[in-house]
Amino acid sequence: MKRSILLSLTLALAILAAAPGCNKVLNEQPRASIDPAFFRTPEGLEGGIAGIYSSLRGHWSTQIFSQLFNGGTDEMVRGGAADVQHYFTYSPLMASNTNDYSGFWNSLYIDINTANGILQYGADAQMDAARKAQLLAQAKFLRAFCYYFLVTTFGDVPLHLEFNTSPTSADARAPIADVYAAIIKDLTEAAAELPDQPGTGLGKPAYKATALFLLAKTYLWRGWSAAAQASDFNNAFDISKELIDNKAVYGLDLWPAFIDGFLEGNEYGMETIMVVDHTKDLKFGQNSAPGSFASNLSENKSNFMFRPNYPTVNANYPASGGASVCVRDIQNGRPFLRIRPNMRYLLDVAFANRATDSRYDGTFQTVWLSNSTQMAPAGTPGAVTPRGTLINKVDTAIWCADRVVSPAERAAFKGIILEPEHLPGATVPFTGTMFPSLRKWDDSTRADLNDYSDRPYILFRFAEVYLIAAEAAFKGGATMQDAADMLNVLRIRAARKPDQTPAEYAAAVAAQTITPAQVTLDFILDERTRELYGEAVRWWDLARTRTLVPRLQQYNLEGGPNVKDFHMLRPIPQQQIDLVTEGPPFPQNDGYF
C-alpha cells in the first residue's frame, strides 16, 4: 500500500512559503520572514523537516526536471514533444534560457535556510530529547543533500551555514573545496547521529544508510574534482563497503531479480535507500484533481514522461488509415513523448548482451497488446490489419523489436513491427513518437488514464552502492579485483530471467561474470546505464567522470556536434545573476552568455 506523508505538510508548506532564501537574493518576490524563535518549538522542527522533504516533489519526476537531467546524454534523445530542446541538443544555450534551473536553485537554497534555522535554534526546543536529536540530524543530512546537488550541478556556489532573515543584493560564490568540506562535515555528523533503521512518518526518511550513501558519493565526486584529496576514492570505497558488509543492520539488500525493485508496492522495500514521497490527497495543494491532465508542477509525471504515442499506430502503419491497434488506457499510460531512448548506444553498447542480461527487458516495454477500446474484454476482436484480425489482450498489436526482422517474420505477424532506426535495413523504424517505453515508473492505480502517479519516486538505491564502490576502486580506492567483484554482484543478479532452467541460468551467470582486466571507465559507465537508466542520474555521471563530450560525440547524433567541455556544469540562473547589484558582479559559468 502506498503511504502518504503523515507529518503536517500544511505547516511544512507554510514554512517553505515563508522561509527566506539562504542565498538572500534568490527570489524576485519578497518573502515573509520567520522569527528564529519558531525553530525553538517542536512545531518548527517537525514542520521544517517535513517542509524540506515536501519541496523535493517539485523537482525529481516532474516535467522539466526530468528532461534537464536525463536529456543531453548518451542514453536519451528528444522525444517528439520535448519542452527544453536546447538541453538535448546543446544549441543554443544563452542567458535567456538559463532560468530553466531557477526553480531548482531557488528551492534548494530555501531548504538550506530552513535547515540552518533548525540547526541554529532547534537545540533550544522543549521536546523529547531523542526526537529532537533525530530532527537535528535530519537537518544536517538535508542541508548536505541540497549543497551536494548544487555543487555537482553548478560548481562554485554561495555557501551559507547560518539562518538568514535579512534580504541583501550582494552575494558571492564559494570555492567547491569549501562546499564539499561543508557537505562532508554535515553528512559525517548525520551518519553518526541518525538511527540504523528508518523511522516512520515520511515514507522512508533519512537514516544512517542514507547519510552514508550520500557521503560515499560525495567523496567520489570530490575525488574527480579540482578539490580532490588523496583519500577521497579510498573513503568512497570504504564507506560503500561498510554499507554492503552491514546491509542487514540497515535493512538493505538487493531484490532477487532486477525488475523487482520497480514493481508497484516495492518502493519502500529492501533495495530502496531514499524516495521522494507523493500522495493523491488534494488538501496539500500539490496535486491536481483526477481527470485534469496532471496540471500541477509538483506532480510525479515519471509514469508518462517517457511514453511513446502508441495510439497513433494504426492498422496500416506506417501508412495512414485504419483503426488504432492499441488505444490509450491506464495500463499502457499517457503518451507524453518528451524523452526517448538513444538506441544507437543502448542496443549496440549498453544492452548488447540482452540474451544473458535481464535489464533491457526489465527497463523497457517493447510490446503492446491489442486493445481496441479502453475496457476491451480479452478474447474479443480488435483492429483488422492487412495480415488478420487482432484479438484483444491476446495478440501483440505493436512490437518494438531490438533488431531488423525478416520479410517473412513481418508477413506472419498480425500486428505492427517497428525496428531500431539506426540499423541498416530497418523498414519501419522507431521515430520521435514511437519507440520502446521506460517501464520503471508505471502506475496502474491512477483514477484516470491521463493522471499523474502517486508512487514514491525512488531516489537512491542499494544497487548504486556497488557501482560507487566499483568506480572508487577503479580510481585507486581499492583493487581492480574489488571493482570487478562489485560489478559482478549486479551482473549476476541480472543473469536471472523468468522461466530459466538451471542450466540456462548457470550459462547466463558465466557469461555475465567479468574479470578485472575487463573493468574500464567506459565499462563502468555502461554498467551504470544498465542498472540506472531513466533514474535521472546520467548527466551527473558523465559530468563527474569528464566523459560528457566524448560519449555524446560518439553516440548522440543530436547533442554530439554541439556539446562542449563547459556543459559539464549547468548555467547559473540569470535571475540570480541579475539580482546581485551590490559588490562584485555574480559570475556566470564559463561558456554561457
Side-chain angles (χ1 to χ4, degrees):
M1 178 182 296
K2 297 175 184 177
R3 304 184 220 175
S4 61
I5 292 181
L6 301 179
L7 291 182
S8 173
L9 290 186
T10 302
L11 172 62
L13 293 174
I15 289 173
L16 281 176
C22 176
N23 191 28
K24 307 172 186 164
V25 295
L26 293 172
N27 305 290
E28 294 180 288
Q29 300 300 319
R31 292 175 179 261
S33 179
I34 295 179
D35 186 337
F38 180 70
F39 291 114
R40 295 189 174 100
T41 68
E43 294 80 9
L45 269 64
E46 297 280 4
I49 294 299
I52 298 173
Y53 279 115
S54 175
S55 76
L56 303 184
R57 290 205 293 274
H59 306 296
W60 282 269
S61 78
T62 60
Q63 182 168 331
I64 300 302
F65 184 98
S66 296
Q67 295 173 79
L68 291 177
F69 291 105
N70 285 298
T73 68
D74 49 1
E75 290 183 346
M76 301 188 191
V77 292
R78 288 176 295 176
D83 296 303
V84 286
Q85 299 201 22
H86 40 278
Y87 287 102
F88 287 90
T89 64
Y90 293 97
S91 176
L93 284 179
M94 301 177 295
S96 60
N97 53 45
T98 60
N99 280 330
D100 291 324
Y101 288 89
S102 61
F104 189 49
W105 174 284
N106 291 356
S107 178
L108 291 178
Y109 272 112
I110 292 170
D111 290 344
I112 286 167
N113 201 45
T114 301
N116 286 344
I118 292 169
L119 291 168
Q120 193 166 337
Y121 303 106
D124 296 334
Q126 299 301 304
M127 61 185 299
D128 176 77
R131 178 59 182 162
K132 179 168 64 176
Q134 293 309 301
L135 292 170
L136 293 173
Q138 288 272 339
K140 291 177 183 178
F141 167 79
L142 290 167
R143 182 168 68 179
F145 175 97
C146 294
Y147 272 123
Y148 168 86
F149 281 102
L150 285 165
V151 74
T152 59
T153 305
F154 303 107
D156 296 346
V157 293
L159 179 63
H160 299 290
L161 302 175
E162 294 184 355
F163 185 64
N164 171 58
T165 59
S166 302
T168 179
S169 56
D171 210 348
R173 300 172 67 171
I176 61 170
D178 296 347
V179 182
Y180 277 122
I183 295 169
I184 289 169
K185 180 178 185 295
D186 273 351
L187 290 175
T188 301
E189 293 176 4
E193 296 160 5
L194 287 167
D196 289 341
Q197 295 281 334
T200 59
L202 284 168
K204 197 163 189 177
Y207 63 117
K208 185 172 184 175
T210 326
L212 289 175
F213 173 93
L214 195 57
L215 183 59
K217 203 164 184 183
T218 299
Y219 277 121
L220 186 68
W221 264 92
R222 192 173 72 172
W224 279 96
S225 78
Q229 296 189 12
S231 60
D232 283 341
F233 292 123
N234 303 88
N235 289 333
F237 180 85
D238 291 345
I239 294 168
S240 299
K241 187 70 162 49
E242 195 273 335
L243 273 169
I244 293 166
D245 291 346
N246 295 287
K247 60 186 181 181
V249 174
Y250 306 122
L252 293 171
D253 209 344
L254 297 175
W255 289 99
F258 168 77
I259 190 61
D260 291 346
F262 302 99
L263 297 179
E264 295 178 56
N266 284 352
E267 296 91 349
Y268 299 104
M270 60 186 178
E271 194 165 328
T272 300
I273 296 176
M274 183 177 179
V275 303
V276 176
D277 226 330
H278 287 271
T279 175
K280 288 178 179 175
D281 199 323
L282 300 180
K283 71 186 177 192
F284 301 122
Q286 293 187 301
N287 301 314
S288 54
S292 59
F293 289 87
S295 56
N296 192 292
L297 296 178
S298 293
E299 290 164 340
N300 179 0
K301 296 179 172 64
S302 60
N303 59 306
F304 54 69
M305 286 296 302
F306 308 88
R307 289 280 178 195
N309 202 359
Y310 60 91
T312 63
V313 178
N314 63 68
N316 296 311
Y317 188 89
S320 59
S324 172
V325 297
C326 185
V327 302
R328 183 187 302 202
D329 61 6
I330 288 179
Q331 187 65 41
N332 289 298
R334 179 179 176 182
F336 215 54
L337 52 151
R338 293 309 197 267
I339 309 171
R340 65 187 175 105
N342 180 17
M343 305 312 291
R344 178 181 303 275
Y345 166 61
L346 296 176
L347 285 181
D348 294 356
V349 181
F351 294 105
N353 296 326
R354 296 182 293 284
T356 59
D357 194 314
S358 65
R359 288 174 289 187
Y360 180 79
D361 292 335
T363 299
F364 293 104
Q365 176 185 355
T366 58
V367 167
W368 286 258
L369 296 182
S370 173
N371 188 24
S372 58
T373 65
Q374 287 184 27
M375 303 300 292
T380 58
V384 179
T385 76
R387 294 164 299 283
T389 300
L390 295 168
I391 304 302
N392 287 324
K393 308 293 176 63
V394 175
D395 286 336
T396 296
I398 306 170
W399 173 31
C400 284
D402 61 353
R403 57 183 173 82
V404 173
V405 301
S406 69
E409 285 180 288
R410 191 177 294 280
F413 190 81
K414 285 194 290 184
I416 309 299
I417 304 175
L418 293 91
E419 301 154 313
E421 69 272 27
H422 71 289
L423 295 182
T427 58
V428 184
F430 301 162
T431 69
T433 58
M434 191 62 219
F435 43 82
S437 180
L438 179 65
R439 66 191 306 179
K440 288 180 175 180
W441 315 124
D442 289 357
D443 188 345
S444 64
T445 69
R446 304 179 328 280
D448 183 87
L449 54 88
N450 294 314
D451 279 358
Y452 60 88
S453 172
D454 73 328
R455 290 184 65 182
Y457 184 82
I458 300 171
L459 195 60
F460 299 155
R461 283 200 293 127
F462 186 51
E464 192 179 358
V465 177
Y466 292 88
L467 295 166
I468 294 169
E471 187 177 326
F474 171 78
K475 291 294 289 181
T479 68
M480 295 299 286
Q481 183 65 59
D482 289 319
D485 289 345
M486 292 296 175
L487 296 177
N488 279 332
V489 172
L490 300 180
R491 293 180 58 79
I492 291 171
R493 196 253 300 253
R496 187 172 299 282
K497 290 190 171 188
D499 304 319
Q500 277 175 319
T501 66
E504 289 170 335
Y505 176 63
V509 168
Q512 288 287 101
T513 303
I514 62 168
T515 66
Q518 293 172 270
V519 178
T520 64
L521 179 57
D522 281 333
F523 192 95
I524 291 170
L525 288 169
D526 295 341
E527 196 66 31
R528 289 187 68 86
T529 289
R530 288 185 277 271
E531 192 68 33
L532 303 174
Y533 178 91
E535 298 180 42
V537 296
R538 190 58 171 184
W539 175 80
W540 277 299
D541 289 345
L542 300 184
R544 178 183 66 254
T545 57
R546 304 296 187 261
T547 56
L548 181 70
V549 172
R551 288 182 74 91
L552 262 69
Q553 290 176 342
Q554 184 172 3
Y555 300 119
N556 186 323
L557 296 183
E558 67 179 24
N562 303 311
V563 70
K564 301 290 189 295
D565 284 341
F566 70 81
H567 291 131
M568 290 186 290
L569 292 177
R570 291 311 201 195
I572 303 295
Q574 189 64 33
Q575 175 195 77
Q576 163 68 34
I577 294 171
D578 293 343
L579 286 172
V580 176
T581 58
E582 294 182 21
F586 197 96
Q588 178 59 274
N589 280 330
D590 289 344
Y592 298 100
F593 57 94

